[in-house]
């Protein structure tokens, strides 16, 4: 009664090593679609997470590409790609995620402007927006979105219609959502 709708809470985020084995085909397709939007000669920011690592794997043949990241997985995927320059931000390593967070990461982000950002998120909801479950990671994600000339959000169907603990940004901050074919209609 009264039109109340139950919010689907996002479950606690498992470590990145465990998540890398989940929705593998969806992440591969999402990563390939995102990589198709990247042109040779661009400067981009790739956030942390398993889906952004899938994007990185698809960028290895690009030329004159400059990639900024706070993700160790992105560095590992691109460090020996001949046409790609990888710029790893400093910070404190969040062991479960393989990402860099904290004041040094935030300081490095203040120096960047107007880059295309490709990032994932823990949960996305039409009303609650983008949410994450770890405060320091969420603060870094907010700053990453602030530097974006365009924000491309990667989220497989398991992230959609979910809400996590910490607010990151409203949906209006997302320019492009790349998802899979199992995502509920209201998101596409």
């Amino acid at each position: 009664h009264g039109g109340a709708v139950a919010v689907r809470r996002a479950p606690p985020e498992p470590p990145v090593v465990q998540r890398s084995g989940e929705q593998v085909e969806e992440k591969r397709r999402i990563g390939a679609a995102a990589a198709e939007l990247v042109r040779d000669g661009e400067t981009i920011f790739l956030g942390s997470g398993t889906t952004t690592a899938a994007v990185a794997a698809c960028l290895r043949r690009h030329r004159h590409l400059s990639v900024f990241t706070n993700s160790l997985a992105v560095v590992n995927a691109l460090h020996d790609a001949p046409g790609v320059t990888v710029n790893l931000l400093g910070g404190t390593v969040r062991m479960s995620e393989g990402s860099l967070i904290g004041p040094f990461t935030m300081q490095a982000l203040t120096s960047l402007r107007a880059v295309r950002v490709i990032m994932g998120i823990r949960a996305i909801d039409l009303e609650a927006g983008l949410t994450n479950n770890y405060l320091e990671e969420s603060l870094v994600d907010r700053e990453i979105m602030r530097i974006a000339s365009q924000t491309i959000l990667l989220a497989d169907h398991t992230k959609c219609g979910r809400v996590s603990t910490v607010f990151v940004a409203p949906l209006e901050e997302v320019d492009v959502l790349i998802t899979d074919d199992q995502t509920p209609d209201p998101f596409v």
Side-chain angles (χ1 to χ4, degrees):
H1 301 309
V5 177
V7 173
R8 288 181 53 215
R9 300 291 310 170
E13 188 169 48
V16 71
V17 173
Q18 180 181 336
R19 293 193 332 267
S20 64
E22 298 172 353
Q23 285 78 45
V24 174
E25 188 56 29
E26 290 93 337
K27 291 174 185 179
R28 187 194 63 73
R29 284 192 204 120
I30 291 168
E36 285 181 21
L37 299 176
V38 177
R39 300 289 166 245
D40 287 344
E42 268 195 278
T43 297
I44 64 169
F45 190 99
L46 278 180
S48 62
T50 53
T51 312
T52 52
V55 176
C58 295
L59 294 174
R60 293 186 50 78
R61 293 191 176 165
H62 277 66
R63 296 288 172 246
H64 309 292
L65 183 65
S66 182
V67 176
F68 285 85
T69 190
N70 66 324
S71 168
L72 298 177
V74 168
V75 172
N76 287 337
L78 292 173
H79 75 278
D80 60 350
V84 181
T85 301
V86 180
N87 303 279
L88 178 63
L89 305 183
T92 302
V93 176
R94 180 179 173 205
M95 297 301 287
S96 65
E97 187 65 18
S99 62
L100 288 105
I101 57 173
F104 291 122
T105 307
M106 298 292 280
Q107 180 63 38
L109 285 165
T110 64
S111 301
L112 299 176
R113 295 285 181 279
V115 297
R116 185 185 297 206
V117 167
I118 301 173
M119 63 183 289
I121 196 71
R122 180 69 187 140
I124 178 172
D125 183 76
L126 296 176
E127 292 181 22
L130 311 180
T131 55
N132 204 336
N133 70 331
Y134 191 74
L135 177 60
E136 283 194 80
E137 191 91 39
S138 299
L139 296 173
V140 169
D141 286 346
R142 285 181 197 161
E143 190 66 17
I144 290 168
M145 292 182 78
R146 189 191 63 72
I147 67 168
S149 59
Q150 180 186 46
T151 299
I152 300 171
L153 186 71
L154 314 175
D156 68 62
H157 68 279
T158 65
K159 312 285 180 79
C160 298
R162 299 275 177 118
V163 177
S164 197
T165 311
V166 184
F167 176 75
V168 175
L171 282 179
E172 294 77 30
E173 296 293 318
V174 175
D175 298 300
V176 177
L177 171 65
I178 301 177
T179 189
D180 62 72
D181 59 5
Q182 295 180 56
T183 300
D185 284 341
F187 288 91
V188 291

